[in-house]
Amino acid sequence: MNCETCQLKELVVEPLEIQDVLRCILHTIVFHRALGLVRPRDVECEHFDITYVQCGDQQLEKKIEEKIDQFIGWVEKHPNRKSRVCLSFFEEKNKHASWFGNKTERRYWEQWYINLHVGNPKSHGKSHSSKAPFNTKENLSEESSSRHAALESSLREVMFQIIRFANEKKDHIPAVQNSDTISFPYEISIPSSSDSSFGWHADVLKRMLQTGHPSMLG
Amino acid sequence: MASPSEADRTEQIITHFFHKTLHAVLTSRIPQLHPAPRTSLAASRKPDRWFHLALPDLPAPIAHHGAVMDPLVVDILLTPRQDAADSGAREVVIERWTAHCVLPPPYTAAAHYPHDGSIQRRTYRKFIILLRSLYALLRLLPAHRIFRLLCSSSQPYNYDLTYRASSFAAPFSRAEEADLKQYSFTAVETLFGQLVVSVQYRPNLAGFNLEVSSPMPPMIITDYVGSPAADPIRPFPCSLPDWASRPTTFQYPPRSRTSAGTPQLDRPHSWNSAPMAHHPLSAHDRVELGSSPPGPYGRMPSERKGSFNFDEFRLSPPFSTSTSPSPPAHGGHSLKSRLQTETSPVSIPIIATGKNQMHRSPNLSDPFKSLLPPPSPRSTRADLSCQESPSKSRSFRKSEGLSLGDIYSNLHMYAAYRGLKDGRDDSGRFSALSSGGSPRYAFSRSSSRLSMPDDLEDEDFSYPFAVDDVDTSDSQTRSPDVKEAEYSSSHKSQEAAVGILVQMLKNAAPLRQDQSCSSQSSDVNGEVSMSSSFLSRKTSDALEELQSYKEMKNLLLSKSGTKLQESLNQKKSSKE
């Protein structure tokens, strides 16, 4: 089976908005792919007038929060950069026994790429000086609110995008192997802290090695 | 060609899907159907596991009554309230959810589908995902903002969200279509064709000027408790005046102009047996189609033919034993009409009756509070007693809450109680715990003020009140007074009876103390005479007893002396 990939629309966010945006998107994606019994829970975004749905699985919430914290830590070290968070669903298959023991192979069947451009709030803060003319301050607040409104609209578009993709692509979803709420194993990848520029590339390479992608073998 | 069992299963899946769709839409759009937070009782109920989406229970069963091939059309309406309607606002459809099966072309009939049950499994899994998407989309559309606003606000708004569910809806006009956007989910293939779910919605609801409704004008209540105009025994009017029927909250739809009959009688009142039966916050039966489904892994495996994998086992629909769904308990249309015609809670005017004269009207400044049943007279009385200062006479405080009948029973108890001779407890309150043959009363000091009003109407409770001072000495003289009060107060108002009782209690003499402690008597002369006679009686008794003891002693001595003499004689005779 092939791996369906969805590239979500890029969002320009500020550091304070990262948590809200990532929670909204990640939980919405998982809600569509958690085929176990779900008791949906409505959650309202802190910074946006958007309500999304959580599965009510505590482990999932904990894992998402951990990854978001890690991503925020990465952003603090690499400000004003484009970055990508990847949510992947896979299935594990046992490979033949080797010298090093039984190896399990991960076969990714769906990947969601959340593209973010985290702006630097300091660039706005510099102009907030007492000596700045009043007009500039007003313009800045208007600009900030319009930016915020644009981000909210974009986030809604991303949510629509998730709903559309999750509904259109259903045939590739593998068989359910357990009765858990989160039916399929998943992985949330953030840019690597070692190499900021090519961090996500390294993750992709690593994944390809694990799955034994034909392009790597050939 | 599909087997009858496959067709039945498909029909059941589609029917449940319609039901779940309706459930999801209504709980996300209609404030009065918005479920309450899960209580322990609700959490213990078995959730509806269909499509692995456990939704909160609906206050009342709602179901789609159409056939499988009939579409489900749910209109969400923004309905103006009375004041908004007066200004010319009309009811507008802001969303229309449609779910229907599209028959496949003849050449793609079910004959081409495999008959191993895989189509049902695929269908069921796709319905799971479709419902997830529908649930998420419900929260993204603009109407959800209004729904959240109406649910979270304690103030009533000039608009309400209502709904219409049917198998058919009049198509929109061109002008209306121009204002609507459409979103269609990917169709799901079933044995009966492709099931399509779509929504037409208004992208912009800013044109509806949602604002808080104007509050009710202040009213002057003339027949307040204690007023001369108050009649203690006056039946509660069945039909409320027009001003009282004005809606005060947002959670109930306004009184429908199309309703027939007497809507006031349909409203839940505090005197109904189940006043909160229609309350959205009360838990009611879940919506169920047919028998409750077994676990998600119920009987499917045994009904399957051939082999099946784990996926089949896990994503199996929880089919019930009956192949065809049984009709729900309540008709959707009847419920719909009931919900649309259900009137808002009103402010109940204060009307003094025998029992609820202390009842206050709901707090108009807090309409949400008025959604709750009005406070019971007993709890209101308890509240009043709590708030009063401790320095007030406890007997008077208790008598405030007494009804006429209770006063009669109290007086009877009082008459019976007068014969008792037990002393007071430390608090000055009478406690008679062990008197044989008398009613057993137990009254604690702290709880009596609060529990007594509740106990007044408790049939099993025998001692309705406790008094501070009870006169037990001149019981004979007080009996006719009590009886007079008893018979004369039957024709007086409750306040007069209370006043009489208070007067009696105030005039009651203190309890007679222990006979050895006579210094606390109020009548000095009586006390002296009592003490002197008491002393003389005691002395004479003592002398008599002494005399008797002497006689007994002499007798004993005489007997012992005789016996001694006899024993001595015996000894002598034996020696000789």
PDB file of all heavy atoms in Angstrom, chain A residues 25 36 40-41 53 74 85 88 91 96-98 103-104 115 117 139 142-143 147 184 189 203-204 213:
ATOM      1  N   ILE A  25      -4.230  21.411  15.304  1.00  0.00           N
ATOM      2  CA  ILE A  25      -4.023  20.606  14.096  1.00  0.00           C
ATOM      3  C   ILE A  25      -3.760  19.145  14.452  1.00  0.00           C
ATOM      4  O   ILE A  25      -4.354  18.230  13.861  1.00  0.00           O
ATOM      5  CB  ILE A  25      -2.847  21.188  13.279  1.00  0.00           C
ATOM      6  CG1 ILE A  25      -3.223  22.569  12.749  1.00  0.00           C
ATOM      7  CG2 ILE A  25      -2.471  20.255  12.139  1.00  0.00           C
ATOM      8  CD1 ILE A  25      -2.106  23.294  12.054  1.00  0.00           C
ATOM      9  N   GLY A  36     -10.813   3.714  17.296  1.00  0.00           N
ATOM     10  CA  GLY A  36     -11.354   3.052  18.473  1.00  0.00           C
ATOM     11  C   GLY A  36     -12.471   3.882  19.063  1.00  0.00           C
ATOM     12  O   GLY A  36     -12.808   4.962  18.575  1.00  0.00           O
ATOM     13  N   PRO A  40     -15.594  12.165  22.387  1.00  0.00           N
ATOM     14  CA  PRO A  40     -15.033  13.433  21.929  1.00  0.00           C
ATOM     15  C   PRO A  40     -15.196  14.535  22.962  1.00  0.00           C
ATOM     16  O   PRO A  40     -16.178  14.587  23.708  1.00  0.00           O
ATOM     17  CB  PRO A  40     -15.839  13.740  20.656  1.00  0.00           C
ATOM     18  CG  PRO A  40     -17.100  12.965  20.793  1.00  0.00           C
ATOM     19  CD  PRO A  40     -16.771  11.757  21.597  1.00  0.00           C
ATOM     20  N   ARG A  41     -14.185  15.395  22.964  1.00  0.00           N
ATOM     21  CA  ARG A  41     -14.182  16.502  23.936  1.00  0.00           C
ATOM     22  C   ARG A  41     -13.889  17.791  23.177  1.00  0.00           C
ATOM     23  O   ARG A  41     -12.880  17.882  22.472  1.00  0.00           O
ATOM     24  CB  ARG A  41     -13.108  16.234  24.974  1.00  0.00           C
ATOM     25  CG  ARG A  41     -13.133  17.142  26.169  1.00  0.00           C
ATOM     26  CD  ARG A  41     -12.277  16.546  27.289  1.00  0.00           C
ATOM     27  NE  ARG A  41     -10.870  16.564  26.942  1.00  0.00           N
ATOM     28  CZ  ARG A  41     -10.020  17.519  27.305  1.00  0.00           C
ATOM     29  NH1 ARG A  41     -10.449  18.550  27.989  1.00  0.00           N
ATOM     30  NH2 ARG A  41      -8.745  17.448  26.980  1.00  0.00           N
ATOM     31  N   VAL A  53     -11.653  19.230  18.330  1.00  0.00           N
ATOM     32  CA  VAL A  53     -12.115  18.064  19.084  1.00  0.00           C
ATOM     33  C   VAL A  53     -10.915  17.217  19.494  1.00  0.00           C
ATOM     34  O   VAL A  53     -10.028  16.944  18.674  1.00  0.00           O
ATOM     35  CB  VAL A  53     -13.084  17.206  18.236  1.00  0.00           C
ATOM     36  CG1 VAL A  53     -13.679  16.088  19.077  1.00  0.00           C
ATOM     37  CG2 VAL A  53     -14.198  18.073  17.670  1.00  0.00           C
ATOM     38  N   TRP A  74      13.055  24.155  20.328  1.00  0.00           N
ATOM     39  CA  TRP A  74      13.830  24.258  19.096  1.00  0.00           C
ATOM     40  C   TRP A  74      13.662  25.638  18.469  1.00  0.00           C
ATOM     41  O   TRP A  74      14.619  26.246  17.981  1.00  0.00           O
ATOM     42  CB  TRP A  74      13.397  23.162  18.125  1.00  0.00           C
ATOM     43  CG  TRP A  74      14.164  23.176  16.843  1.00  0.00           C
ATOM     44  CD1 TRP A  74      15.329  22.535  16.575  1.00  0.00           C
ATOM     45  CD2 TRP A  74      13.796  23.880  15.651  1.00  0.00           C
ATOM     46  NE1 TRP A  74      15.744  22.778  15.288  1.00  0.00           N
ATOM     47  CE2 TRP A  74      14.801  23.611  14.692  1.00  0.00           C
ATOM     48  CE3 TRP A  74      12.733  24.708  15.283  1.00  0.00           C
ATOM     49  CZ2 TRP A  74      14.770  24.133  13.408  1.00  0.00           C
ATOM     50  CZ3 TRP A  74      12.714  25.233  14.007  1.00  0.00           C
ATOM     51  CH2 TRP A  74      13.731  24.939  13.083  1.00  0.00           C
ATOM     52  N   VAL A  85       6.477  20.254  11.276  1.00  0.00           N
ATOM     53  CA  VAL A  85       6.186  19.166  12.211  1.00  0.00           C
ATOM     54  C   VAL A  85       5.467  18.095  11.412  1.00  0.00           C
ATOM     55  O   VAL A  85       4.546  18.396  10.643  1.00  0.00           O
ATOM     56  CB  VAL A  85       5.305  19.666  13.372  1.00  0.00           C
ATOM     57  CG1 VAL A  85       4.899  18.514  14.282  1.00  0.00           C
ATOM     58  CG2 VAL A  85       6.030  20.742  14.155  1.00  0.00           C
ATOM     59  N   SER A  88       3.011  11.136  11.587  1.00  0.00           N
ATOM     60  CA  SER A  88       3.014   9.953  10.717  1.00  0.00           C
ATOM     61  C   SER A  88       2.278   8.822  11.395  1.00  0.00           C
ATOM     62  O   SER A  88       2.439   8.594  12.593  1.00  0.00           O
ATOM     63  CB  SER A  88       4.450   9.506  10.428  1.00  0.00           C
ATOM     64  OG  SER A  88       5.249  10.586  10.027  1.00  0.00           O
ATOM     65  N   GLU A  91       2.531   1.174  10.513  1.00  0.00           N
ATOM     66  CA  GLU A  91       2.271  -0.134  11.098  1.00  0.00           C
ATOM     67  C   GLU A  91       3.599  -0.861  11.196  1.00  0.00           C
ATOM     68  O   GLU A  91       4.470  -0.694  10.337  1.00  0.00           O
ATOM     69  CB  GLU A  91       1.249  -0.924  10.290  1.00  0.00           C
ATOM     70  CG  GLU A  91       1.547  -1.058   8.819  1.00  0.00           C
ATOM     71  CD  GLU A  91       0.463  -1.846   8.094  1.00  0.00           C
ATOM     72  OE1 GLU A  91      -0.367  -2.485   8.745  1.00  0.00           O
ATOM     73  OE2 GLU A  91       0.468  -1.832   6.866  1.00  0.00           O
ATOM     74  N   HIS A  96      12.380 -10.627   9.207  1.00  0.00           N
ATOM     75  CA  HIS A  96      12.999 -11.923   9.495  1.00  0.00           C
ATOM     76  C   HIS A  96      14.101 -11.718  10.533  1.00  0.00           C
ATOM     77  O   HIS A  96      14.701 -10.644  10.650  1.00  0.00           O
ATOM     78  CB  HIS A  96      13.571 -12.531   8.231  1.00  0.00           C
ATOM     79  CG  HIS A  96      14.579 -11.638   7.559  1.00  0.00           C
ATOM     80  ND1 HIS A  96      14.200 -10.677   6.650  1.00  0.00           N
ATOM     81  CD2 HIS A  96      15.916 -11.548   7.693  1.00  0.00           C
ATOM     82  CE1 HIS A  96      15.283 -10.037   6.238  1.00  0.00           C
ATOM     83  NE2 HIS A  96      16.331 -10.548   6.853  1.00  0.00           N
ATOM     84  N   ALA A  97      14.330 -12.737  11.298  1.00  0.00           N
ATOM     85  CA  ALA A  97      15.331 -12.645  12.366  1.00  0.00           C
ATOM     86  C   ALA A  97      16.709 -12.428  11.755  1.00  0.00           C
ATOM     87  O   ALA A  97      17.060 -13.009  10.725  1.00  0.00           O
ATOM     88  CB  ALA A  97      15.303 -13.920  13.201  1.00  0.00           C
ATOM     89  N   SER A  98      17.476 -11.608  12.375  1.00  0.00           N
ATOM     90  CA  SER A  98      18.823 -11.338  11.871  1.00  0.00           C
ATOM     91  C   SER A  98      19.815 -11.599  12.993  1.00  0.00           C
ATOM     92  O   SER A  98      19.467 -12.060  14.066  1.00  0.00           O
ATOM     93  CB  SER A  98      18.911  -9.897  11.376  1.00  0.00           C
ATOM     94  OG  SER A  98      18.802  -9.024  12.479  1.00  0.00           O
ATOM     95  N   LYS A 103      13.927  -7.860  13.995  1.00  0.00           N
ATOM     96  CA  LYS A 103      13.786  -6.465  13.643  1.00  0.00           C
ATOM     97  C   LYS A 103      12.348  -6.197  13.249  1.00  0.00           C
ATOM     98  O   LYS A 103      11.705  -7.017  12.589  1.00  0.00           O
ATOM     99  CB  LYS A 103      14.695  -6.157  12.453  1.00  0.00           C
ATOM    100  CG  LYS A 103      15.840  -5.219  12.777  1.00  0.00           C
ATOM    101  CD  LYS A 103      16.558  -4.848  11.527  1.00  0.00           C
ATOM    102  CE  LYS A 103      17.282  -3.548  11.718  1.00  0.00           C
ATOM    103  NZ  LYS A 103      17.982  -3.143  10.508  1.00  0.00           N
ATOM    104  N   THR A 104      11.893  -5.053  13.683  1.00  0.00           N
ATOM    105  CA  THR A 104      10.543  -4.658  13.265  1.00  0.00           C
ATOM    106  C   THR A 104      10.682  -3.537  12.256  1.00  0.00           C
ATOM    107  O   THR A 104      11.500  -2.630  12.386  1.00  0.00           O
ATOM    108  CB  THR A 104       9.707  -4.166  14.461  1.00  0.00           C
ATOM    109  OG1 THR A 104      10.421  -3.112  15.107  1.00  0.00           O
ATOM    110  CG2 THR A 104       9.437  -5.284  15.442  1.00  0.00           C
ATOM    111  N   ASN A 115       3.297  22.822   8.183  1.00  0.00           N
ATOM    112  CA  ASN A 115       4.329  23.805   7.833  1.00  0.00           C
ATOM    113  C   ASN A 115       4.095  25.103   8.591  1.00  0.00           C
ATOM    114  O   ASN A 115       3.033  25.719   8.468  1.00  0.00           O
ATOM    115  CB  ASN A 115       4.294  24.073   6.328  1.00  0.00           C
ATOM    116  CG  ASN A 115       4.629  22.816   5.551  1.00  0.00           C
ATOM    117  OD1 ASN A 115       5.728  22.271   5.651  1.00  0.00           O
ATOM    118  ND2 ASN A 115       3.659  22.322   4.780  1.00  0.00           N
ATOM    119  N   HIS A 117       5.821  28.909   9.877  1.00  0.00           N
ATOM    120  CA  HIS A 117       6.854  29.935   9.796  1.00  0.00           C
ATOM    121  C   HIS A 117       6.712  30.762  11.063  1.00  0.00           C
ATOM    122  O   HIS A 117       5.800  31.569  11.186  1.00  0.00           O
ATOM    123  CB  HIS A 117       6.647  30.800   8.533  1.00  0.00           C
ATOM    124  CG  HIS A 117       7.748  31.792   8.358  1.00  0.00           C
ATOM    125  ND1 HIS A 117       7.785  32.676   7.295  1.00  0.00           N
ATOM    126  CD2 HIS A 117       8.849  32.057   9.095  1.00  0.00           C
ATOM    127  CE1 HIS A 117       8.870  33.422   7.390  1.00  0.00           C
ATOM    128  NE2 HIS A 117       9.524  33.064   8.470  1.00  0.00           N
ATOM    129  N   ASN A 139      -0.764  51.820  14.054  1.00  0.00           N
ATOM    130  CA  ASN A 139      -0.604  50.992  12.868  1.00  0.00           C
ATOM    131  C   ASN A 139      -0.137  49.592  13.253  1.00  0.00           C
ATOM    132  O   ASN A 139      -0.564  48.596  12.678  1.00  0.00           O
ATOM    133  CB  ASN A 139       0.392  51.623  11.889  1.00  0.00           C
ATOM    134  CG  ASN A 139      -0.177  52.883  11.269  1.00  0.00           C
ATOM    135  OD1 ASN A 139      -1.397  53.057  11.248  1.00  0.00           O
ATOM    136  ND2 ASN A 139       0.685  53.747  10.774  1.00  0.00           N
ATOM    137  N   GLU A 142      -2.945  47.623  14.691  1.00  0.00           N
ATOM    138  CA  GLU A 142      -3.850  47.223  13.610  1.00  0.00           C
ATOM    139  C   GLU A 142      -3.228  46.099  12.802  1.00  0.00           C
ATOM    140  O   GLU A 142      -3.893  45.135  12.424  1.00  0.00           O
ATOM    141  CB  GLU A 142      -4.127  48.412  12.695  1.00  0.00           C
ATOM    142  CG  GLU A 142      -5.197  49.347  13.224  1.00  0.00           C
ATOM    143  CD  GLU A 142      -5.438  50.521  12.297  1.00  0.00           C
ATOM    144  OE1 GLU A 142      -4.960  50.480  11.149  1.00  0.00           O
ATOM    145  OE2 GLU A 142      -6.100  51.466  12.738  1.00  0.00           O
ATOM    146  N   GLU A 143      -1.946  46.251  12.561  1.00  0.00           N
ATOM    147  CA  GLU A 143      -1.244  45.231  11.780  1.00  0.00           C
ATOM    148  C   GLU A 143      -1.256  43.904  12.547  1.00  0.00           C
ATOM    149  O   GLU A 143      -1.445  42.832  11.964  1.00  0.00           O
ATOM    150  CB  GLU A 143       0.191  45.692  11.555  1.00  0.00           C
ATOM    151  CG  GLU A 143       0.973  44.852  10.562  1.00  0.00           C
ATOM    152  CD  GLU A 143       2.399  45.365  10.417  1.00  0.00           C
ATOM    153  OE1 GLU A 143       2.587  46.590  10.336  1.00  0.00           O
ATOM    154  OE2 GLU A 143       3.311  44.528  10.411  1.00  0.00           O
ATOM    155  N   ARG A 147      -3.002  40.596  11.270  1.00  0.00           N
ATOM    156  CA  ARG A 147      -2.188  39.388  11.126  1.00  0.00           C
ATOM    157  C   ARG A 147      -2.834  38.233  11.880  1.00  0.00           C
ATOM    158  O   ARG A 147      -2.902  37.098  11.411  1.00  0.00           O
ATOM    159  CB  ARG A 147      -0.779  39.656  11.644  1.00  0.00           C
ATOM    160  CG  ARG A 147       0.206  38.500  11.474  1.00  0.00           C
ATOM    161  CD  ARG A 147       1.290  38.540  12.523  1.00  0.00           C
ATOM    162  NE  ARG A 147       0.753  38.386  13.862  1.00  0.00           N
ATOM    163  CZ  ARG A 147       0.420  37.215  14.388  1.00  0.00           C
ATOM    164  NH1 ARG A 147       0.551  36.099  13.701  1.00  0.00           N
ATOM    165  NH2 ARG A 147      -0.070  37.161  15.613  1.00  0.00           N
ATOM    166  N   PHE A 184      -3.952   3.186  15.685  1.00  0.00           N
ATOM    167  CA  PHE A 184      -2.720   2.977  14.937  1.00  0.00           C
ATOM    168  C   PHE A 184      -1.563   3.669  15.648  1.00  0.00           C
ATOM    169  O   PHE A 184      -1.718   4.761  16.189  1.00  0.00           O
ATOM    170  CB  PHE A 184      -2.867   3.535  13.515  1.00  0.00           C
ATOM    171  CG  PHE A 184      -4.072   3.016  12.789  1.00  0.00           C
ATOM    172  CD1 PHE A 184      -5.167   3.837  12.575  1.00  0.00           C
ATOM    173  CD2 PHE A 184      -4.117   1.709  12.336  1.00  0.00           C
ATOM    174  CE1 PHE A 184      -6.280   3.376  11.920  1.00  0.00           C
ATOM    175  CE2 PHE A 184      -5.234   1.230  11.669  1.00  0.00           C
ATOM    176  CZ  PHE A 184      -6.319   2.056  11.462  1.00  0.00           C
ATOM    177  N   SER A 189       7.200  14.038  14.533  1.00  0.00           N
ATOM    178  CA  SER A 189       8.603  14.407  14.297  1.00  0.00           C
ATOM    179  C   SER A 189       8.724  15.922  14.255  1.00  0.00           C
ATOM    180  O   SER A 189       7.943  16.589  13.568  1.00  0.00           O
ATOM    181  CB  SER A 189       9.090  13.825  12.968  1.00  0.00           C
ATOM    182  OG  SER A 189       8.797  12.450  12.898  1.00  0.00           O
ATOM    183  N   ASP A 203      15.619  13.221   9.475  1.00  0.00           N
ATOM    184  CA  ASP A 203      14.522  12.363   9.929  1.00  0.00           C
ATOM    185  C   ASP A 203      13.940  11.581   8.773  1.00  0.00           C
ATOM    186  O   ASP A 203      13.623  10.397   8.892  1.00  0.00           O
ATOM    187  CB  ASP A 203      13.426  13.226  10.569  1.00  0.00           C
ATOM    188  CG  ASP A 203      13.843  13.734  11.935  1.00  0.00           C
ATOM    189  OD1 ASP A 203      14.764  13.115  12.515  1.00  0.00           O
ATOM    190  OD2 ASP A 203      13.282  14.727  12.402  1.00  0.00           O
ATOM    191  N   VAL A 204      13.819  12.245   7.636  1.00  0.00           N
ATOM    192  CA  VAL A 204      13.246  11.565   6.474  1.00  0.00           C
ATOM    193  C   VAL A 204      14.170  10.441   6.045  1.00  0.00           C
ATOM    194  O   VAL A 204      13.747   9.329   5.724  1.00  0.00           O
ATOM    195  CB  VAL A 204      13.020  12.574   5.327  1.00  0.00           C
ATOM    196  CG1 VAL A 204      12.681  11.859   4.038  1.00  0.00           C
ATOM    197  CG2 VAL A 204      11.914  13.547   5.702  1.00  0.00           C
ATOM    198  N   HIS A 213      13.018   1.884   1.808  1.00  0.00           N
ATOM    199  CA  HIS A 213      12.443   2.472   0.611  1.00  0.00           C
ATOM    200  C   HIS A 213      13.228   1.999  -0.603  1.00  0.00           C
ATOM    201  O   HIS A 213      14.443   1.933  -0.589  1.00  0.00           O
ATOM    202  CB  HIS A 213      12.498   3.995   0.728  1.00  0.00           C
ATOM    203  CG  HIS A 213      11.551   4.665  -0.206  1.00  0.00           C
ATOM    204  ND1 HIS A 213      11.902   4.985  -1.490  1.00  0.00           N
ATOM    205  CD2 HIS A 213      10.271   5.066  -0.044  1.00  0.00           C
ATOM    206  CE1 HIS A 213      10.868   5.561  -2.083  1.00  0.00           C
ATOM    207  NE2 HIS A 213       9.867   5.624  -1.232  1.00  0.00           N
TER     208      HIS A 213
END
